[in-house]
Amino acid sequence: MVTKVPSRPAAPRRLLRLLLATGVAATALSAVPQAAQASAAAPVAQATADAKSGGATLTVAVSQSIDSLSPFLAQKLTSTSIHRLAYEYLTNYDAKDARTIPGLATAWTPSADKLTWTYTIREDSKWSDGKPATAEDAAWTFNKMMTDPNAATANGSFTANFKKVTATDPRTLVIELKKPQATMTALDVPIVPKHVWEKVGDFSKFNNDQQFPIVGNGPFVITDFKVDQYIKLKPNKTFWRGAPKFDELVFKYYKDGDAAVAALQKGEVSFVPNLTPAQADALKSQKNIKVNDAPGRRFFAIATNPGARSQDGKTFGNGHKALLDPAVRKALFLAVDRTTIVDKVFQGHAVEGEGYIPPRFGSYFWRPETAQKRAYDPAGAEKVLDAAGYRKNAEGKRVGKDGKALDFRILCHATDPNDKAIGKYLQEWWGKLGIGLKVECLDSVSDPWVKGDYDLAFDGWSVNPDPDYVLSIHTCGTLPATPKDSGATDNFICDKEFDALYAQQAVEYDAAKRADLVKRMQSRLYDTGYMNIMAYPNALEAYRTDQIKSITTMPEAAGNLWGQDGYWSWWSAVPTASAASPGDSDDSSSAGLIIGVGAAAIILVGVGVWTARRRRTTADDRE
């Protein structure tokens, strides 16, 4: 069933930047000193007590650790999804068709030259500690990102072009730009309470995970969490759209996907995302369980180390030098059978990969022309390598002119069965070329990734209705300042032609012209061979029908629940009459109430520890 989202009174909640990581749970804004937290905690203390008294609890199984509860640092999809539940953004995305609708701002108006944008801040939004949310909070958030590099770690691309931000009065926010910016109605930046966050010292170290409840103004309030165990949230009773229907929302961590499915079958959790095709098939015949299969918003790719480097010109890491040769990347590209991956690994629950933006986003979706397309062609790959001087030796191994064998490593997420299955295919396909491949499956691929200590890696991102962010992570400006610093780059790509196209699309307000520029960017990324998009996986998820009465999917027609671009699913979810929580808030194993009619395949996180550099623990790193 699908619950229509009311235009105003009821209760939506920007479902996280993809309930995935990419869907759900809570960003943290409980800020510093205990004295400051004491006053903030009082208004929601009763809500926390109410949670222990029982009631309907919605429990979601997740499998990804959070990089940080600070919205200024968090980059994983799980974490950013949580932020959508705990904080409002200036604007939101409509559940029906993802068009821009009011969020914290009720209206926005650009100047004639598009260099000044004026936002009207709603009067009925309050922080969970009772204080009003104002334009001053938004101005402080943006100014902090503009003046402190550490505060710009997660979302700095949105404010890099800001010239000046002011709150002319409590209800009026004015943003002046250096040049036009096409994302001004899609600023996916959590607005935080100034009175809490202005007390924070070092934004590179403050993880916002010590004191609860955390002050926010979204549909939920984060009340507790334990690393790799659970995250708990309570309804924000003063949320302007109306409070969520469940008495508590719990994201419970499961490292093993089969264990999560077993918990679903026993009623210990209500919802499990990121199912494998085999798990989905096994659940279809189970009583009180429904499997949802919907077009996804993610891509699944192979990322090639292009030579890790920082903005100060220094190189680092131990990536294989042969991958700096376009011919080698092209040969690897030609020796990947995407059709087999879709049919055998995803068992048809995916679409063959082409461009960077999934087909779900029609106006930006791109596919190569026939002459440009690198279809599966092992013989062609052999010819490319031969022509480039990589000959086979007596043992059948490809070697370069320096005599070094083409033996590569690929980073694999230990919790993702797709990585492992595809890794075996790559070993077979590339092995026939005389190229060796070691599949290195780790619980956390973060450390070697950010250090540049890899050759290839399985990669995947969730795409927002506005593709600016996922495009920006491949620009030169997102490289770390030095090898020791953090950066927003995904894969150390720095290509001047790509950067030039990115700069053009960023200032183009004409929708058709901007879409064309975005497609040209994808074409360039495709030709460089740094990213090989293998598939667009469907969102495969399952939920208990005896615990949820109705819930909103996004989009409403054939949409997903996990990993939405707003807070609609968890905010709108209505428990069944028989649904009730066991009231055990300590182990968070309460039978949840969740259900999704749509689907977004991605598994969330319990909680992890921030490492000052971006961490990547699963394929669901960012929305």
Side-chain angles (χ1 to χ4, degrees):
M1 298 179 64
V2 175
T3 297
K4 298 290 185 179
V5 177
S7 59
R8 189 144 167 146
R13 10 176 175 120
R14 298 176 90 151
L15 203 230
L16 340 165
R17 237 180 224 228
L18 207 215
L19 279 175
L20 167 180
T22 192
V24 93
T27 183
L29 256 225
S30 117
V32 304
Q34 291 188 334
Q37 278 306 105
S39 60
V44 287
Q46 185 59 48
T48 302
D50 292 342
K52 299 181 179 180
S53 64
T57 297
L58 187 162
T59 302
V60 180
V62 302
S63 68
Q64 185 190 56
S65 292
I66 289 176
D67 50 356
S68 176
L69 282 180
S70 165
F72 295 98
L73 299 178
Q75 291 180 293
K76 284 185 180 178
L77 186 53
T78 52
S79 309
T80 57
S81 294
I82 288 171
H83 295 159
R84 283 193 179 276
L85 296 181
Y87 305 98
E88 279 271 45
Y89 298 3
L90 288 181
T91 59
N92 201 343
Y93 300 104
D94 187 82
K96 182 177 182 179
D97 55 13
R99 64 186 174 83
T100 299
I101 60 174
L104 181 59
T106 60
W108 43 89
T109 305
S111 59
D113 60 7
K114 304 290 178 63
L115 292 178
T116 301
W117 287 72
T118 303
Y119 299 83
T120 301
I121 304 301
R122 65 176 59 258
E123 299 181 2
D124 52 355
S125 179
K126 293 183 179 180
W127 297 110
S128 54
D129 63 1
K131 297 182 183 299
T134 70
E136 185 60 33
D137 294 305
W140 186 90
T141 299
F142 291 132
N143 276 302
K144 187 63 181 178
M145 294 171 63
M146 294 162 60
T147 57
D148 185 341
N150 292 318
T153 299
N155 298 301
S157 63
F158 290 112
T159 59
N161 181 47
F162 286 10
K163 179 180 179 181
K164 183 179 181 181
V165 181
T166 56
T168 57
D169 62 57
R171 300 300 160 204
T172 307
L173 176 72
V174 179
I175 300 178
E176 298 178 40
L177 305 173
K178 300 173 186 176
K179 55 187 177 182
Q181 182 169 321
T183 61
M184 296 307 290
T185 60
L187 297 173
D188 294 329
V189 176
I191 302 302
V192 304
K194 174 185 176 182
H195 66 281
V196 174
W197 281 87
E198 65 183 353
K199 300 179 180 67
V200 176
D202 188 344
F203 273 66
S204 70
K205 297 179 179 179
F206 182 67
N207 199 39
N208 194 32
D209 60 357
Q210 298 301 309
Q211 298 178 347
F212 299 90
I214 293 171
V215 181
N217 65 338
F220 288 92
V221 177
I222 303 171
T223 59
D224 190 20
F225 94 87
K226 289 187 178 180
V227 174
D228 290 344
Q229 292 186 43
Y230 61 77
I231 301 176
K232 297 181 179 181
L233 301 90
K234 292 286 291 181
N236 179 357
K237 301 297 185 180
T238 64
F239 185 53
W240 66 273
R241 285 187 188 273
K245 310 301 188 301
F246 282 93
D247 297 302
E248 186 174 34
L249 175 61
V250 177
F251 297 96
K252 187 175 181 180
Y253 180 81
Y254 287 87
K255 181 178 179 180
D256 182 76
D258 288 334
V261 170
L264 178 73
Q265 293 174 312
K266 291 185 291 185
E268 294 175 351
V269 300
S270 308
F271 176 89
V272 177
N274 274 0
L275 297 174
T276 65
Q279 290 171 336
D281 289 341
L283 289 171
K284 287 180 180 178
S285 61
Q286 298 290 306
K287 182 180 179 181
N288 296 326
I289 292 179
K290 179 176 177 57
V291 173
N292 187 62
D293 187 352
R297 51 174 288 195
R298 294 182 63 77
F299 63 76
F300 189 94
I302 297 174
T304 304
N305 186 340
R309 51 185 156 167
S310 51
Q311 293 189 43
D312 62 2
K314 295 181 180 179
T315 59
F316 53 94
N318 59 16
H320 201 299
K321 301 302 181 184
L323 290 172
L324 300 180
D325 187 341
V328 174
R329 299 196 299 270
K330 181 179 181 179
L332 295 179
F333 213 133
L334 291 171
V336 174
D337 187 351
R338 295 174 186 74
T339 300
T340 291
I341 289 174
V342 169
D343 292 344
K344 301 299 184 181
V345 178
F346 293 102
Q347 296 181 31
H349 299 281
V351 176
E352 185 176 329
E354 294 182 292
Y356 193 68
I357 308 298
R360 171 168 165 171
F361 303 98
S363 61
Y364 296 115
F365 178 60
W366 170 87
R367 54 166 50 98
E369 298 293 337
T370 301
Q372 182 184 17
K373 185 177 178 65
R374 294 178 177 177
Y376 181 51
D377 184 5
E382 293 268 10
K383 294 178 181 178
V384 169
L385 290 171
D386 288 339
Y390 298 92
R391 302 286 181 171
K392 288 184 177 180
N393 61 18
E395 289 75 37
K397 294 285 296 183
R398 290 279 177 180
V399 296
K401 295 178 181 179
D402 58 0
K404 185 177 181 180
L406 297 191
D407 287 326
F408 302 131
R409 305 156 296 165
I410 187 166
L411 287 176
C412 158
H413 304 86
T415 57
D416 194 331
N418 295 322
D419 282 16
K420 298 174 183 177
I422 295 174
K424 292 181 179 179
Y425 277 111
L426 296 179
Q427 287 176 321
E428 176 187 345
W429 296 330
W430 294 350
K432 293 178 180 179
L433 296 179
I435 295 175
L437 180 67
K438 181 180 180 181
V439 181
E440 300 180 336
C441 293
L442 308 173
D443 287 338
S444 173
V445 301
S446 173
D447 290 340
W449 199 311
V450 299
K451 293 177 181 178
D453 291 340
Y454 68 100
D455 300 326
L456 303 135
F458 288 110
D459 198 4
W461 287 74
S462 298
V463 179
N464 294 326
D466 188 295
D468 183 84
Y469 183 85
V470 291
L471 296 173
S472 74
I473 59 178
H474 294 308
T475 58
C476 301
T478 59
L479 294 175
T482 73
K484 295 183 179 181
D485 291 316
S486 60
T489 182
D490 172 49
N491 196 45
F492 302 105
I493 293 175
C494 178
D495 178 75
K496 298 301 182 182
E497 184 175 330
F498 183 89
D499 271 26
L501 291 169
Y502 176 80
Q504 292 179 57
Q505 68 82 32
V507 302
E508 182 55 71
Y509 286 100
D510 183 282
K513 292 180 179 179
R514 185 177 181 222
D516 180 65
L517 288 167
V518 169
K519 291 177 181 178
R520 289 170 59 189
M521 293 177 69
Q522 295 178 76
S523 177
R524 177 59 182 173
L525 198 59
Y526 184 91
D527 287 343
T528 63
Y530 291 130
M531 295 288 291
N532 183 346
I533 311 299
M534 295 180 290
Y536 310 113
N538 284 8
L540 268 181
E541 59 194 357
Y543 60 86
R544 295 198 61 89
T545 57
D546 57 351
Q547 295 181 12
I548 187 74
K549 180 179 180 180
S550 62
I551 192 168
T552 299
T553 60
M554 184 179 187
E556 289 183 351
N560 58 275
L561 291 170
W562 185 246
Q564 295 182 352
D565 296 293
Y567 42 60
W568 309 115
S569 61
W570 308 140
W571 169 79
S572 68
V574 177
T576 59
S578 61
S581 165
D584 186 350
S585 64
D586 289 332
D587 64 13
S588 78
S589 63
S590 21
L593 306 151
I594 189 167
I595 45 330
V597 177
I602 304 169
I603 292 180
L604 197 60
V605 55
V607 218
V609 180
W610 173 249
T611 76
R613 303 185 102 185
R614 183 164 56 91
R615 303 182 66 85
R616 308 178 64 100
T617 346
T618 77
D620 307 322
D621 289 325
R622 179 76 174 187
E623 171 183 32

